[in-house]
Every structure is written in C-alpha cells, then in structure tokens.
Amino acid sequence: MSVPHLTLARGDITKQSADAIVNAANSSLLGGGGVDGAIHRAGGPEILEACRALRASHYGRGLATGQAVATTAGRLPARWVIHTIGPVYSSTEDRSELLTACHTNSLAIADSLGAKTVAFPAISTGIFGWPLDNAARIAVAALRAATTDVEEVRFVLFNEAAYQAFEDAAQQ
C-alpha cells in the first residue's frame, strides 16, 4: 500500500475510463441532480437497479454522510461506481471530517474491489454549497494521507474554476 498518484482532468466524469468512478450521490442512492444524475443517466438502468437492491437490503434508510458503497457501472466506461454522500456545507459547523471521509471511505471500497484507477468529482461543491478552494484542499489532503492499493486517483473537474482550485491544492 502506498499513496496513489494524483492527476487532474477537465471534463465529464461519465466519459472517464477508470476501474471505478466515484458518484457524489444523495443519501437515497436513487439518483438526483448534478454528478449523481449524470452518472445515473449515462450508466443506464443497471445502476438504479443495483441502488434499489442496496436500499432493499442493507441501506433501508439510505447511506449516511461520509460513507461509501459500490455498484455496477452499467454502461459507463468503468467497472464500478462508488457512491458516497458528501456533507452539505455549513459556515457555522465544521464538517470537513465528513468530506475527508467521503474520499477515504471511497478509497477503502476501491481497495476491497481491487480497483487500481479511481475517478473522483469535486464532492459537495455543487448544490451542497462547499466552497471549491476549501473542498479541493480537503480532497487532496485526504488522498495524500491515504494508504491504498489504488495506483491513480484522477480528479475530474467539470469547469475551469474547479480545475484551477484542485490544481492550486495539488501544488501546495
């Protein structure tokens, strides 16, 4: 186990060829907006079926914030989707440990699957309102502190502002 190689890409995470793609999901695991909706749409009904099965068995109340679970990737160019529930940003409560847990728990799931390449979005920076620069610092620090068999972690950033925030964090 070692620290994974970190790379950055600008683009659409649903088009990334990787062993696993991380989904910034909502707790229901049944799809939603943003990255979650895009992954469900591009991956097809197989992902939703797998998520419904998880809800029917182990996660009747949904997945807790910071936790992660894997399903098939359906039609995506990956083997698995790792769903993680990011925290909603709060200016009055420090929830950075939960955001860190999204990354470390996703890597633990990737390890259990034998994944060597994992693509992450900018978790919690969309509708959950986490400031990009802070989320990028937390995500990069979490991955640099991780020991894993994953060889490459690729942050796939949808726009230039996100890419720049992660590039700045990676250079620190």
Side-chain angles (χ1 to χ4, degrees), residues 6-9 131-141 144 155 157 159-172:
L6 175 65
T7 61
L8 304 177
L132 266 171
D133 59 340
N134 186 258
R137 281 193 302 274
I138 291 168
V140 169
R144 285 186 173 152
F155 283 107
L157 297 314
N159 61 35
E160 188 58 35
Y163 186 93
Q164 191 60 57
F166 275 77
E167 185 174 57
D168 291 349
Q171 292 176 355
Q172 293 180 3

Side-chain angles (χ1 to χ4, degrees), residues 7-90:
T7 61
L8 304 177
R10 183 159 176 230
D12 181 348
I13 198 165
T14 67
K15 298 192 183 328
Q16 292 295 308
S17 179
D19 292 330
I21 292 174
V22 175
N23 180 17
N26 64 52
S27 62
S28 76
L29 295 175
L30 301 178
V35 170
D36 192 21
I39 285 174
H40 274 268
R41 282 189 302 276
E46 298 87 353
I47 295 173
L48 182 57
E49 288 172 24
C51 287
R52 283 186 175 143
L54 286 170
R55 287 294 306 269
S57 60
H58 297 88
Y59 302 101
R61 294 184 177 167
L63 194 62
T65 302
Q67 295 301 303
V69 66
T71 65
T72 178
R75 300 175 189 154
L76 295 171
R79 292 183 65 190
W80 304 284
V81 172
I82 298 172
H83 307 268
T84 190
I85 314 305
V88 174
Y89 179 75
S90 171

